[in-house]
Amino acid sequence: VQLVESGGGLVQPGRSLRLSCAGSGFTFSGYDMSWYRQAPGKERELVARITSAGGRTTYVDSVKGRFTISRDKSKNTVFLQMNSLKPEDTAIYYCNARGGMYYSNDYWGQGTQVTVSS
């Protein structure tokens, strides 16, 4: 099983970035996909989730209206479009896949750094 994130980097406040996460080794279409982030000295937090069935999305309050999660099942890829970035969005962003029998499979990517600074 692999989850490979890409798209992170250094960006100025107010600009945009698009993160991608390509999954392999599992039935991508049957898994809920999420983006988490962890800033220095803080706990990892859920940023956004998209369900396998119906594509329902949820977001942490701090990113609502600015971030959009989406998935392309044909490419086994989930995206996080991040607009109007703020310095407080600076963190390592992790891709997560959850599913399988009894919802017991929990896979993580290696993370990609996002730094928002002028």
Side-chain angles (χ1 to χ4, degrees), residues 14-83:
R15 304 299 291 269
S16 299
L17 277 178
R18 188 193 196 204
L19 304 183
S20 300
C21 171
S24 61
F26 64 102
T27 309
F28 181 88
S29 61
Y31 279 64
D32 293 347
M33 299 299 299
S34 301
W35 287 95
Y36 286 75
R37 66 185 179 188
Q38 188 166 19
K42 295 189 177 181
E43 293 187 354
R44 190 174 295 190
E45 69 169 349
L46 174 65
V47 177
R49 173 171 290 144
I50 185 166
T51 61
S52 63
R56 291 190 304 274
T57 58
T58 57
Y59 299 90
V60 66
D61 285 347
S62 60
V63 308
K64 285 180 180 177
R66 299 189 298 122
F67 290 11
T68 302
I69 188 170
S70 61
R71 65 193 298 167
D72 185 338
K73 291 184 177 181
S74 68
K75 297 181 179 179
N76 288 359
T77 302
V78 63
F79 305 97
L80 186 67
Q81 177 67 43
M82 304 185 294
N83 299 329

